[in-house]
Amino acid sequence: MLGNTFTDGNQALVVLVAKQLCLTVKVTTTTTTCLSNDNPSEDLPTSDSGFQSALQIAFNSSTAALTACVQVAGEWYVELTAGGGANTGATGTGPTGTGVTGTGTTGTGTTGTGTTGTGVTG
């Protein structure tokens, strides 16, 4: 379930609320991380000045209930890595894929065609 959100320009933080949420990430090894959270405002900033700090929590903590999102061409996407498109525009560069008009969702990146599927216009 989604909890509360905090938006700052084309970036947003969304709180995940769950009794138990387990995610498996497979890059070079398989790691499963589980979290539990019943606070719909967990780790959200209370002002714009705290947004960047909370964003770092979302990117750097495998057990944080925060999820970073980015708006690209009017659509919202989960941002998997810092700099994955939030500050580069609709067809900018980032580490996760090939941009809105390609196969990724967050920009042309260093990892090839992306890890998040087909982009907005495919």
Side-chain angles (χ1 to χ4, degrees), residues 6-14 16 23 25 51-52 54-61 64-72 75-90 92-97 104-108 115-116:
F6 191 99
T7 304
D8 185 14
N10 69 336
Q11 294 179 287
L13 293 166
V14 177
L16 300 175
L23 303 170
V25 178
F51 185 83
Q52 288 302 315
L55 191 62
Q56 291 309 307
I57 291 170
F59 287 131
N60 297 320
S61 174
L66 285 179
T67 300
C69 298
V70 61
Q71 187 179 38
V72 179
E75 300 289 330
W76 286 97
Y77 299 93
V78 170
E79 189 171 19
L80 301 176
T81 60
N87 297 317
T88 58
T93 59
T96 61
T105 59
T106 58
T108 302
T115 58
T116 57

Side-chain angles (χ1 to χ4, degrees), residues 43-55:
D43 294 324
L44 276 182
T46 57
S47 68
D48 287 343
S49 64
F51 185 83
Q52 288 302 315
S53 177
L55 191 62

